[in-house]
Amino acid sequence: MSSKAREQFINKLKNSIEDDNEDIIGEGYYEWKIDDWKGLRIFQVSPTFTIGDYKWRMALLPTGYTDGHDEFVSLYLGNYDVENDESLNIYSNYVFVIRNYTDYSCFKYEKTTNTVLFDINHSEHHFPKFIRKNNLSTIIKKTNKPIMEDNKVVIGVYVRIYYENN
């Protein structure tokens, strides 16, 4: 996998965010490699990562959220900082992606449609129906391969953070 392919992939995610020219204070991309999909627990949490001086984590429910979304993979984005500071408000847009472990051109993404607020009462946001579980192994015509190969995938998130006055 070339660094150029990775850069183009991240730019595609970045450019998918529509934000009306809001003042950006930080942004970045994080990837979480899943080496054994079948070995995942019902609720799996990523390592903590930093984007825009804030600590984030992703949560993955490989068998879906229990309220009727069990045929889907569910993804959550959570912020540690707001859990510990009642006065903190983080305004953000983000893009979740799940991609083939070795091919940046084989992926599926979902993005927020509006700016979301992370605060003490909303420390996480989610896509309960991110992708149908059976679509992970479906061949994508463009790449002639599935998102999941050899029981491996990569889950990523591109996060953009804005000044509070937006």
Side-chain angles (χ1 to χ4, degrees):
M1 293 187 301
S2 74
S3 61
K4 183 177 180 183
R6 176 181 165 79
E7 183 180 328
Q8 288 173 339
F9 170 75
I10 293 171
N11 280 334
K12 181 176 184 77
L13 300 177
K14 177 180 178 177
N15 294 333
S16 74
I17 297 175
E18 300 168 15
D19 59 13
D20 299 325
N21 297 315
E22 296 177 65
D23 292 328
I24 300 167
I25 59 172
E27 61 186 325
Y29 179 69
Y30 175 77
E31 284 192 337
W32 178 22
K33 293 182 177 182
I34 307 295
D35 294 318
D36 181 12
W37 182 268
K38 291 177 185 169
L40 292 173
R41 296 186 306 262
I42 292 171
F43 185 84
Q44 195 80 35
V45 179
S46 75
T48 302
F49 56 95
T50 301
I51 295 176
D53 294 328
Y54 297 109
K55 293 181 189 133
W56 305 88
R57 70 190 174 277
M58 289 186 279
L60 164 66
L61 285 76
T63 57
Y65 195 66
T66 57
D67 67 349
H69 303 296
D70 57 350
E71 66 204 55
F72 293 89
V73 172
S74 301
L75 291 174
Y76 289 74
L77 179 64
N79 182 273
Y80 276 128
D81 300 285
V82 298
E83 294 173 0
N84 300 309
D85 184 346
E86 289 184 21
S87 67
L88 186 59
N89 295 319
I90 301 172
Y91 295 89
S92 172
N93 277 327
Y94 61 92
V95 182
F96 270 132
V97 64
I98 188 165
R99 70 169 181 82
N100 182 283
Y101 204 86
T102 60
D103 187 345
Y104 284 106
S105 67
C106 185
F107 64 92
K108 189 236 190 259
Y109 74 91
E110 288 287 334
K111 62 183 180 174
T112 53
T113 55
N114 295 304
T115 301
V116 295
L117 170 63
F118 289 87
D119 64 13
I120 190 74
N121 297 312
H122 306 95
S123 64
E124 59 186 30
H125 293 275
H126 68 288
F127 285 98
K129 297 180 355 180
F130 182 72
I131 188 171
R132 288 186 181 276
K133 289 186 283 189
N134 61 349
N135 287 350
L136 291 173
S137 56
T138 302
I139 299 290
I140 295 175
K141 290 178 186 176
K142 178 181 166 187
T143 61
N144 200 32
K145 60 178 71 171
I147 290 173
M148 186 177 344
E149 285 186 308
D150 300 323
N151 200 33
K152 297 179 178 184
V153 297
V154 176
I155 296 173
V157 64
Y158 192 93
V159 180
R160 181 175 291 162
I161 306 158
Y162 307 101
Y163 282 105
E164 190 170 330
N165 61 358
N166 287 314

